[in-house]
């Protein structure tokens, strides 16, 4: 997803949002409240990056998109824009998005499916409402995620994979329904072609359930509450909160009935990752070169697309 507002991170705005540090005895080190961010004509709920937590494992960016009801003539139209140094993961709860990219891909992603695009040294893509939905009422709701690439793969050739809902490992455990959307965990492996040690899980409960998952997790870990709620260590948490764990091995909580949460994380990289607009890299010079390349329109084109998203001006220049 394009981030039209410069680096996509307003430090003053972030400073006004609530981040709660728990006491030292708690396994919850940080609570991040979902906060509004603009992606052009739409507002989304931004979770990462956050001023006090730039990444969780290799996950460097997460937007909660919707739920939004679109009337006839209201459509998602994100024109062609570039990425480097990351993989994007689109996972929808409602609605549909037509993805087109400079590799020649044209595919519709629907609820429960995964679009996984690896930018590597550079890719361009657009995201739009499919033609058959553009003149009818519709809804749109989902998650859009950026996963940084390992340093040695940041300049790899771009690629794209579409994974059907039926291919995603799904099972029941401790009274809840689980899906391994990406990565490896619980002795299972998602078919999404990841490039680092990570996990991204959906957990749904219809009744109250106690879960102890630490033995199955590794690296850094965080939990996002989509709906319902959880309780942990005597505290209760609700929708639109992201809980970051001190120690993934101590991940234990109780889900309220009719709750949905997303658990994600993995091994962090030894090098810092920089984010500037839609570019991610461990090297600022690579980002600088990518910005100039986009300004000069030297990135590959998306077949059939003629729109162009200009590089945002620095905030000081606005």
């Amino acid at each position: 997803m394009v981030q039209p507002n410069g680096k996509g991170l307003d430090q003053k705005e972030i400073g006004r949002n609530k981040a709660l540090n728990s006491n030292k005895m708690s396994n919850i080190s940080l609570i991040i409240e979902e906060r509004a961010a603009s992606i052009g004509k739409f507002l989304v709920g931004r979770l990462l990056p956050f001023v006090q937590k730039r990444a969780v494992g290799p996950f460097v960016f997460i937007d909660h998109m919707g739920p939004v009801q679109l009337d006839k003539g209201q459509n998602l139209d994100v024109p062609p824009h570039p990425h480097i140094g990351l993989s994007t993961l689109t996972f929808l709860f409602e609605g549909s998005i037509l993805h087109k990219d400079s590799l020649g891909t044209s595919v519709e992603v629907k609820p429960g499916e995964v679009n996984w695009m690896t930018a590597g040294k550079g890719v361009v893509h657009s995201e739009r409402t499919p033609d058959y939905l553009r003149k009818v009422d519709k809804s749109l709701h989902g998650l859009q995620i950026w996963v940084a690439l390992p340093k040695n793969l940041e300049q790899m050739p771009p690629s794209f994979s579409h994974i059907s809902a039926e291919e995603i490992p799904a099972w029941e455990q401790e009274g809840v329904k689980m899906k391994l959307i990406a990565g490896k965990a619980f002795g299972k492996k998602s078919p999404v072609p990841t490039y680092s040690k990570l996990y991204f899980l959906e957990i749904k409960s219809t009744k109250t359930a106690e879960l102890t998952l630490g033995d199955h997790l590794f690296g850094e870990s965080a939990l996002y509450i989509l709906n319902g709620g959880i309780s942990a260590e005597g505290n209760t948490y609700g929708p639109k909160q992201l809980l970051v764990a001190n120690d993934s091995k101590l991940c234990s909580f109780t889900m309220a009935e009719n709750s949905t949460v997303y658990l994600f994380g993995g091994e962090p990289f030894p090098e810092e990752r920089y984010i500037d607009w839609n570019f991610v890299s461990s090297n600022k010079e690579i980002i600088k070169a990518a910005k100039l390349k986009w300004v000069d329109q030297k990135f590959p084109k998306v077949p059939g697309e003629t729109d162009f998203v200009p590089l945002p001006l620095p905030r000081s220049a606005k």
Side-chain angles (χ1 to χ4, degrees):
M1 177 66 74
V2 67
Q3 292 304 308
N5 296 321
K7 297 183 181 181
L9 204 60
D10 188 321
Q11 297 298 328
K12 291 183 179 179
E13 179 179 335
I14 287 175
R16 290 194 294 267
N17 287 285
K18 183 170 65 174
L20 304 177
N21 286 292
S22 300
N23 62 60
K24 293 182 180 179
M25 296 300 293
S26 172
N27 190 40
I28 298 174
S29 65
L30 185 67
I31 304 169
I32 301 174
E33 302 284 355
E34 185 175 307
R35 57 209 185 275
S38 173
I39 57 168
K41 295 180 181 179
F42 293 88
L43 288 176
V44 297
R46 180 122 326 141
L47 296 165
L48 285 177
F50 186 68
V51 67
Q52 292 174 258
K53 187 64 177 173
R54 311 296 298 183
V56 176
F59 291 82
V60 296
F61 181 96
I62 300 179
D63 267 356
H64 175 208
M65 178 176 53
V68 60
Q69 299 298 316
L70 302 175
D71 297 332
K72 299 175 183 177
Q74 286 185 307
N75 296 295
L76 176 72
D77 280 303
V78 181
H81 56 281
H83 291 287
I84 65 165
L86 55 82
S87 295
T88 63
L89 189 159
T90 302
F91 187 77
L92 297 180
F93 314 134
E94 300 177 63
S96 175
I97 295 176
L98 177 64
H99 164 100
K100 297 177 71 175
D101 63 39
S102 53
L103 296 169
T105 307
S106 180
V107 66
E108 182 181 355
V109 59
K110 297 179 180 180
E113 301 175 344
V114 173
N115 265 11
W116 177 266
M117 182 183 71
T118 297
K121 63 183 180 181
V123 76
V124 180
H125 75 133
S126 64
E127 296 160 295
R128 302 185 186 275
T129 299
D131 287 344
Y132 72 94
L133 294 175
R134 296 185 73 84
K135 295 183 180 180
V136 300
D137 295 343
K138 60 249 170 208
S139 60
L140 189 61
H141 190 197
L143 295 173
Q144 292 206 308
I145 295 169
W146 295 358
V147 179
L149 289 168
K151 185 175 181 178
N152 66 317
L153 295 177
E154 287 182 320
Q155 294 291 293
M156 68 182 289
S159 62
F160 178 85
S161 295
H162 177 84
I163 311 300
S164 69
E166 293 74 23
E167 295 176 84
I168 302 296
W171 69 100
E172 292 192 18
Q173 179 171 323
E174 299 185 55
V176 299
K177 292 183 178 180
M178 305 186 72
K179 288 183 180 179
L180 180 59
I181 299 169
K184 295 181 181 179
F186 296 88
K188 304 179 187 299
K189 180 182 179 181
S190 167
V192 173
T194 56
Y195 297 96
S196 60
K197 295 181 179 179
L198 62 87
Y199 46 87
F200 178 44
L201 292 146
E202 177 187 82
I203 308 175
K204 289 190 173 186
S205 65
T206 55
K207 57 185 179 180
T208 303
E210 295 184 9
L211 287 83
T212 300
L213 306 179
D215 289 344
H216 302 281
L217 307 180
F218 53 89
E220 297 182 331
S221 185
L223 183 149
Y224 172 63
I225 304 168
L226 178 67
N227 52 51
I230 72 162
S231 58
E233 302 167 335
N235 298 306
T236 300
Y237 306 96
K240 298 187 177 182
Q241 289 187 315
L242 178 68
L243 313 180
V244 181
N246 273 317
D247 185 348
S248 63
K249 296 295 184 183
L250 300 178
C251 187
S252 179
F253 55 92
T254 300
M255 291 184 68
E257 60 181 11
N258 299 320
S259 296
T260 302
V261 303
Y262 290 86
L263 188 64
F264 65 92
E267 297 292 349
F269 296 126
E271 320 88 5
E272 182 178 358
R273 288 301 181 276
Y274 304 103
I275 301 179
D276 193 334
W277 193 40
N278 299 313
F279 304 131
V280 174
S281 180
S282 59
N283 187 327
K284 290 183 178 180
E285 292 302 313
I286 291 177
I287 291 178
K288 181 179 179 180
K291 292 167 71 174
L292 292 174
K293 184 178 177 181
W294 181 248
V295 169
D296 292 338
Q297 299 192 36
K298 292 182 178 179
F299 270 81
K301 307 297 183 183
V302 177
E305 294 272 19
T306 58
D307 292 353
F308 176 81
V309 178
L311 182 75
L313 291 173
R315 293 186 182 279
S316 59
K318 292 182 178 179

